[in-house]
Amino acid sequence: MENHSPATLLIVEDDLDIADMLNAYFSVQGYRILTVNWGEDAINVCQTEQPDIVILDIHLPDLDGFEIARRLKNNRRTEAIPI
């Protein structure tokens, strides 16, 4: 029997209530959850943790979601991560 580790999901959301709700929902589904509140943190986490998928807010305090997506897609290390 194979032992699969759960898929890692990165939640990028500056509204803490929404982040908590998403975290609770996906944790129950069996995902490993990473949560950040800033765009630069999202880019750094994607490069170090290589999440399986990113749930990305558009309106963040430092960068908007479109800029984050552009940077992730233009980086060889992160270009294949679904957003």
Side-chain angles (χ1 to χ4, degrees):
M1 182 176 201
E2 291 183 40
N3 185 10
H4 293 286
S5 58
T8 300
L9 199 148
L10 173 62
I11 298 170
V12 185
E13 174 58 66
D14 62 323
D15 183 317
L16 298 181
D17 291 333
I18 294 173
D20 287 345
M21 178 197 62
L22 291 169
N23 192 331
Y25 177 79
F26 287 112
S27 291
V28 169
Q29 305 300 317
Y31 292 96
R32 175 178 170 249
I33 307 296
L34 305 171
T35 306
V36 297
N37 309 108
W38 295 83
E40 289 292 344
D41 292 340
I43 292 166
N44 292 334
V45 168
C46 284
Q47 291 175 349
T48 59
E49 296 286 330
Q50 293 286 298
D52 295 294
I53 193 165
V54 176
I55 296 180
L56 179 59
D57 186 11
I58 297 302
H59 302 287
L60 294 165
D62 57 344
L63 301 170
D64 69 32
F66 297 111
E67 175 65 17
I68 296 164
R70 186 187 66 73
R71 288 191 192 180
L72 292 175
K73 293 303 176 186
N74 287 330
N75 183 309
R76 274 198 162 149
R77 226 172 129 68
T78 58
E79 67 186 359
I81 300 172
I83 302 171

